[in-house]
């Protein structure tokens, strides 16, 4: 199956025993081989969500193969090999309104008055795609509180990028799930903090939040959406990975994504309650173990995926986040403002970000877990500074 076709490089996908391998050819194939080798290693170790004669869906985080959006993924990987920064993922906070009061909320300090309008969101989506993004993620707060979310999804050029959205499940009714699917939503990520109702609702700070999440998952699957269980892993729930997986499997979910709790927002003063390198190794082993199974959801463990053996930290290099106030950050978990899309084009802010020392290099793992980075940047933020702290050039 031809999955990438340019004059200077062509890439074919072959499948054998439900495993996918990419084979490059052409004048640029030598340059592309290191990244293709890395992708192939991942394909061999892990299972895709689905494979048929016409399409491969490896993950809810990647465009289907083949597609023009997948072409852009390959182009972004080649650009990374050539030291060119491309924001593979552009996440956009479309509201800070939320029915929950999560104890680990990383965006709790963001003030959006007014929050981005539909026109502003659509413009920054276009500017992100112009920069090379092939994944547009709508974030919050609770994105479903924006009644115009389907209009935002509909605006994303599906020939160039996939559109996904996070949710706590609040408001994800059968009708809403169908409306999002009809608008072109590729995947929805439902946040679960514990497989146990009482603990999930303790972390969420709201009675009924567990039922919202479970009902939302059912409604999303029934609507035909790729459905991902998004788990923020902390020392408090890392021993429940198998229980999370059993819940995702019992609900028929397509994927289970693991992120790590970050000492930011409401969790800023809890640096001793984050995960360490041994935990990251544990998540990597969990991913490999579960992805060897024929059935059940695939696992994407981002602390491993963005670790030294894979792709390294994405922030400011392969990820850009725009808050609901329009501030541009290196990622959703790094509280540094490099500009505002209401004041200047995203392209100019993205270039400025790349000139900052921390984002010129390719760190092997999450910078927010790096003690030296936090000492230089996080702990030097004045106590009375408005968050996110402004690092933009005036």
């Amino acid at each position: 199956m031809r999955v990438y076709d340019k004059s200077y490089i062509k890439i074919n996908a072959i499948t054998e025993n439900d495993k996918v391998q990419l084979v490059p050819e052409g004048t640029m194939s030598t340059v592309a081989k290191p990244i293709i080798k890395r992708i192939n290693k991942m394909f061999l170790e892990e299972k895709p969500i689905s494979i048929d004669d016409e399409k491969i869906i490896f993950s809810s985080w990647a465009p289907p193969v083949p597609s023009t959006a997948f072409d852009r993924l390959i182009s972004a990987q080649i650009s990374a090999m050539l030291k060119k920064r491309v924001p593979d993922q552009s996440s956009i906070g479309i509201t800070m309104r939320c029915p929950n009061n999560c104890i680990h909320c990383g965006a709790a300090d963001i003030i959006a008055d007014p929050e981005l309008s539909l026109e502003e969101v659509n413009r920054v989506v276009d500017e992100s795609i112009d920069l090379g993004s092939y994944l547009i993620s709508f974030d919050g707060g609770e994105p479903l509180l924006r009644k115009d979310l389907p209009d935002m999804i509909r605006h994303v050029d599906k020939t160039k990028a996939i559109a996904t959205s996070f949710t706590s499940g609040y408001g994800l009714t059968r009708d809403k799930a169908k409306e999002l699917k009809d608008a072109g939503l590729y995947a929805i990520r439902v946040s679960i903090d514990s497989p146990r109702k009482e603990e999930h609702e303790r972390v969420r700070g709201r009675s009924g939040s567990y039922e919202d999440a479970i009902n939302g998952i059912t409604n999303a699957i029934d609507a035909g959406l790729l459905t991902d269980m998004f788990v923020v892993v902390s020392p408090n729930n890392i021993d429940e990975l198998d229980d999370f997986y059993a819940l995702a499997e019992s609900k028929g979910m397509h994927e289970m994504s693991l992120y790590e709790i970050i000492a930011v927002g409401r969790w800023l003063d809890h640096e001793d309650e984050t995960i360490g390198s041994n935990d990251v190794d544990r998540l990597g082993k969990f991913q490999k173990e579960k992805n060897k199974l024929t059935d059940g959801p695939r696992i994407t463990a981002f602390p491993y995926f963005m670790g030294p053996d894979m792709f390294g930290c994405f922030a400011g290099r392969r990820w850009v986040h725009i808050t609901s106030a329009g501030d541009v950050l290196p990622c959703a978990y790094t509280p540094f403002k490099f500009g505002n899309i209401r004041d200047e084009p995203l392209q100019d802010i993205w270039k400025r970000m790349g000139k900052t020392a921390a984002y010129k290099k390719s760190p092997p793992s999450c910078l927010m877990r790096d003690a030296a980075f936090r000492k230089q940047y996080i702990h030097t933020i004045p106590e009375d500074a408005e968050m996110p702290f402004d690092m933009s050039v005036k």
Side-chain angles (χ1 to χ4, degrees):
M1 180 189 297
R2 179 63 55 82
V3 299
Y4 189 78
D5 194 344
K6 302 293 182 184
S7 60
Y8 51 88
I9 184 171
K10 303 180 190 301
I11 300 176
N12 297 311
I14 59 174
T15 59
E16 185 175 347
N17 299 322
D18 290 334
K19 296 295 183 182
V20 181
Q21 291 287 274
L22 301 181
V23 180
E25 58 183 66
T27 57
M28 284 283 289
S29 60
T30 302
V31 174
K33 276 184 179 179
I35 190 65
I36 297 299
K37 182 179 179 180
R38 188 181 301 171
I39 293 174
N40 281 340
K41 178 177 182 293
M42 183 171 61
F43 281 176
L44 283 174
E45 292 179 347
E46 304 175 10
K47 62 184 175 189
I49 288 176
S50 65
I51 298 179
D52 59 36
D53 292 338
E54 297 182 352
K55 183 170 59 177
I56 301 166
I57 297 179
F58 183 71
S59 167
S60 63
W61 296 91
V65 183
S67 67
T68 307
F70 183 77
D71 289 355
R72 290 165 59 83
L73 181 153
I74 295 296
S75 293
Q77 311 316 309
I78 294 174
S79 293
M81 292 294 300
L82 298 175
K83 308 302 181 184
K84 178 183 177 182
R85 295 165 56 252
V86 174
D88 299 49
Q89 174 183 189
S90 178
S91 55
I92 306 168
I94 58 175
T95 184
M96 280 312 301
R97 290 174 286 147
C98 187
N100 303 305
N101 189 31
C102 301
I103 62 177
H104 56 48
C105 180
D109 295 326
I110 294 174
I111 299 173
D113 185 21
E115 61 192 16
L116 293 175
S117 67
L118 173 61
E119 291 73 21
E120 288 171 325
V121 170
N122 287 347
R123 175 169 57 81
V124 80
V125 163
D126 291 342
E127 291 181 359
S128 297
I129 290 175
D130 286 344
L131 282 172
S133 296
Y134 55 80
L135 170 59
I136 303 295
S137 298
F138 296 105
D139 204 347
E142 172 51 68
L144 291 182
L145 289 177
R146 285 290 296 256
K147 302 303 181 185
D148 51 1
L149 174 59
D151 296 319
M152 298 174 188
I153 295 166
R154 199 172 289 112
H155 181 79
V156 177
D157 185 343
K158 310 306 187 304
T159 67
K160 295 181 178 179
I162 55 175
T164 69
S165 181
F166 288 86
T167 182
S168 65
Y170 183 85
L172 189 54
T173 63
R174 295 179 70 89
D175 288 344
K176 178 58 70 173
K178 184 179 184 304
E179 183 183 14
L180 297 176
K181 173 66 174 178
D182 290 345
L185 189 67
Y186 182 72
I188 194 156
R189 313 195 190 285
V190 184
S191 299
I192 299 285
D193 288 307
S194 173
R196 295 176 290 114
K197 174 182 177 180
E198 296 78 9
E199 177 62 10
H200 175 86
E201 294 190 345
R202 182 191 72 82
V203 176
R204 292 271 139 176
R206 183 176 66 85
S207 177
S209 58
Y210 186 80
E211 184 177 6
D212 284 342
I214 297 301
N215 289 341
I217 289 168
T218 299
N219 294 334
I221 291 174
D222 288 348
L225 287 166
L226 288 180
T227 308
D228 175 36
M229 177 183 287
F230 191 81
V231 178
V232 176
V233 179
S234 74
N236 297 325
N237 64 12
I238 194 170
D239 292 330
E240 297 182 298
L241 292 176
D242 283 316
D243 293 331
F244 277 114
Y245 187 85
L247 176 60
E249 185 175 27
S250 71
K251 299 298 294 182
M253 301 189 76
H254 301 96
E255 192 158 16
M256 175 176 153
S257 295
L258 307 174
Y259 209 82
E260 61 184 290
I261 197 165
I262 303 292
V264 68
R266 291 197 184 111
W267 209 249
L268 181 61
D269 298 324
H270 296 262
E271 286 185 56
D272 57 339
E273 297 179 66
T274 55
I275 65 174
S277 57
N278 289 338
D279 297 317
V280 173
D281 291 341
R282 181 176 175 182
L283 295 179
K285 291 177 182 177
F286 181 78
Q287 172 177 313
K288 293 176 183 179
E289 171 192 327
K290 295 303 183 185
N291 285 343
K292 288 180 181 178
L293 302 176
T294 302
D295 299 320
R298 67 160 277 110
I299 299 293
T300 299
F302 277 98
Y304 165 73
F305 190 70
M306 296 193 290
D309 294 333
M310 294 298 286
F311 294 95
C313 184
F314 277 19
R317 296 188 308 114
R318 309 178 79 151
W319 182 3
V320 65
H321 180 73
I322 299 92
T323 73
S324 53
D327 295 328
V328 180
L329 316 181
C331 79
Y333 303 97
T334 307
F336 293 147
K337 168 185 174 181
F338 282 85
N340 191 291
I341 59 102
R342 286 169 167 156
D343 300 328
E344 56 186 324
L346 179 62
Q347 179 180 6
D348 294 347
I349 303 172
W350 178 249
K351 287 181 179 179
R352 180 184 308 134
M353 189 181 297
K355 295 178 181 178
T356 303
Y359 302 108
K360 282 184 177 180
K361 52 188 178 181
S362 301
S365 57
C366 176
L367 278 173
M368 288 295 285
R369 203 193 313 139
D370 187 295
F373 175 84
R374 293 185 67 89
K375 181 179 180 181
Q376 181 176 356
Y377 293 98
I378 302 298
H379 298 305
T380 57
I381 296 176
E383 292 185 3
D384 59 348
E386 180 181 337
M387 298 295 284
F389 186 55
D390 193 346
M391 290 184 67
S392 59
V393 177
K394 303 300 183 184

